[in-house]
Amino acid sequence: MTEAYVIGAGQTPFGAFADESYRSLFQRAYESALESTDGTIDSDDVDEAVIGTLGVGGRQLGLSGPAVTEHVGLDGVPCTRVENACAAGGYAVRQAVQAVRSGMADLVVAGGFEVMTDMSGDLTKYWLGVSGETEWERLTGTTFAGVYAQMASAYMDRYDVDTEPFSRVAVKNHANGAKNPNAHLGFTCSLEDAEGGAPVADPLNLYHCCPTSDGAAVALVASEAFLEDYDGDRIRVAGVGASSDPVGLADRDTYTAIPASERAAEAAYEMADVGPAEIDFAEVHDCFAIAEVLAYEDLGLCERGEAPTLLENGTTDLDGDLPVNPSGGLKSKGHPIGATGTGQVAEVFKQLTGNAGERQLDDPRRGLTHNVGGSGGAAVVHVFEREVAE
């Protein structure tokens, strides 16, 4: 079975763009990915495309994949649209890797997009809510923030902590996002600011919640055969893992973990033949601050209940022993649902090729991405590796 490599990746800025459409955003991300290959790749090289999107606002619910790929000149290229809520982009990358490893394609476009800021707050809450359990969450009035607030309350009770760990996530990720020109909320905040944010869903406040964003991101996934004539950067997809779980929180065995994330991580580590200790940095799914806290433990970066200590000690800061969300994460960089997973890959590609600018880490070799759908109904984890010459 052939190996799969990311040879280029790009994204738009994430934010609110009244003058952009989902097609124009995707075009900008696609062109950015091509530019990252120093112009050596063009549309004629592409064998297949996989596009992630939830379809927020009801725009082009059918055939939204071909709607953007044909717009950028991928004429006749087979295109599949993936919808797995907030994990759509990560699953698009996974399917691109599968296409390459199966031998059915040598170069696959894995992309994602979303437009979320062109409707009212009530409609936005509706579209976010469709990723939760319908009868017992959405239709009974539970918001997406409300579901994660239940998880946060359970974690605080089980491990006897207050909201400070959640606020430390916000402070860290805003500090990183302030160094990222693509970030939606590219400003810093203090711990006092984060602790004093306006309530959203107790115990979560405004600083504990990511924004709703517009944006697009694209990764180019290639086979070993394709690389025989390619001299540019390449990052090996060393491991892939994915898992599903009950969509409704009440149907799961725990509120203080996301079992799908844990299983996905175990599968990715096994395929990559590495353990959590061999990961140099990670981009994790922090739609709410509690989600990042749970991710540390689900991914095996620490033992259960120890995530607050990692945050307090600065371990996951940009200059810490295990930086998490150097891009700013969903909290600061933004969360255009279908683009989030591919945007994580774009950050990993930049870091592992030494092109992350002011937030560049010191010679990282392995990076991990972790993308979650809903409150944990789906999760996908990738391990990427920069190959070092012997």
Side-chain angles (χ1 to χ4, degrees):
M1 181 171 61
T2 184
E3 296 278 7
Y5 294 81
V6 176
I7 63 169
Q11 68 164 82
T12 67
F14 290 174
F17 307 112
D19 296 331
E20 297 276 7
S21 70
Y22 68 98
R23 285 186 170 102
S24 66
L25 287 167
F26 184 82
Q27 182 171 10
R28 290 177 63 185
Y30 178 64
E31 291 174 351
S32 176
L34 294 182
E35 289 169 5
S36 72
T37 71
D38 294 327
T40 60
I41 301 298
D42 60 37
S43 295
D44 291 339
D45 297 312
V46 177
D47 297 318
E48 193 162 336
V50 188
I51 308 299
T53 180
L54 180 63
V56 170
R59 62 181 57 76
Q60 196 60 45
L61 282 177
L63 295 176
S64 54
V68 294
T69 55
E70 290 296 313
H71 180 71
V72 301
L74 293 173
D75 301 322
V77 171
C79 179
T80 303
R81 178 262 184 107
V82 174
E83 186 284 296
N84 236 0
C86 314
Y91 270 83
V93 175
R94 178 176 181 263
Q95 286 196 207
V97 171
Q98 288 176 322
V100 165
R101 285 184 167 168
S102 72
M104 292 187 67
D106 285 317
L107 182 63
V108 182
V109 169
F113 67 85
E114 216 73 65
V115 174
M116 304 181 68
T117 67
D118 62 346
M119 55 188 168
S120 70
D122 285 343
L123 278 175
T124 301
K125 284 190 289 186
Y126 170 85
W127 280 101
L128 289 172
V130 301
S131 300
E133 204 276 337
T134 299
E135 289 82 3
W136 301 108
E137 289 181 354
R138 181 162 61 91
L139 294 183
T140 58
T142 303
T143 64
F144 205 36
V147 172
Y148 273 93
Q150 293 175 61
M151 300 164 79
S153 293
Y155 189 91
M156 292 167 63
D157 182 64
R158 179 169 183 177
Y159 296 112
D160 193 25
V161 296
D162 55 19
T163 59
E164 186 171 308
F166 311 148
S167 297
R168 288 187 182 278
V169 168
V171 172
K172 171 182 69 68
N173 289 351
H174 274 290
N176 295 348
K179 302 176 186 297
N180 186 349
N182 288 323
H184 188 167
L185 304 179
F187 55 82
T188 61
C189 68
S190 67
L191 186 60
E192 183 180 12
D193 291 333
E195 282 283 82
V200 174
D202 188 59
L204 301 179
N205 69 43
L206 190 62
Y207 280 92
H208 303 149
C209 308
C210 75
T212 54
S213 311
D214 307 332
V218 168
L220 304 174
V221 182
S223 68
E224 291 176 286
F226 188 89
L227 295 184
E228 290 177 3
D229 298 315
Y230 181 74
D231 295 326
D233 290 325
R234 76 276 313 270
I235 302 299
R236 188 169 72 94
V237 185
V240 183
S243 183
S244 299
D245 221 32
V247 173
L249 185 60
D251 292 325
R252 297 188 212 141
D253 294 332
T254 177
Y255 279 31
T256 58
I258 295 179
S261 293
E262 186 173 15
R263 292 190 293 267
E266 289 172 352
Y269 292 143
E270 182 177 0
M271 183 182 293
D273 195 26
V274 300
E278 294 167 273
I279 300 298
D280 296 316
F281 70 100
E283 284 285 309
V284 308
H285 198 92
D286 61 320
C287 50
F288 299 93
I290 177 61
E292 179 164 329
V293 170
L294 297 182
Y296 293 179
E297 300 173 13
D298 294 334
L299 299 172
L301 306 181
C302 66
E303 297 297 322
R304 294 287 174 191
E306 292 184 0
T309 301
L310 290 190
L311 287 157
E312 186 175 0
N313 292 344
T315 302
T316 57
D317 288 355
L318 201 62
D319 59 355
D321 291 338
L322 179 59
V324 174
N325 285 333
S327 71
L330 286 63
K331 176 65 195 75
S332 175
K333 181 184 176 184
H335 184 27
I337 291 176
T340 292
T342 44
Q344 291 178 328
V345 175
E347 177 69 17
V348 168
F349 183 78
K350 289 176 183 177
Q351 290 286 352
L352 292 180
T353 57
N355 293 304
E358 192 179 352
R359 64 190 184 282
Q360 178 63 51
L361 303 175
D362 184 18
D363 196 32
R365 182 177 178 187
R366 291 190 187 90
L368 177 148
T369 62
H370 159 256
N371 196 195
V372 175
S375 63
V380 58
V381 172
H382 291 86
V383 174
F384 299 90
E385 185 173 86
R386 175 174 57 88
E387 296 189 333
V388 179
E390 298 295 336

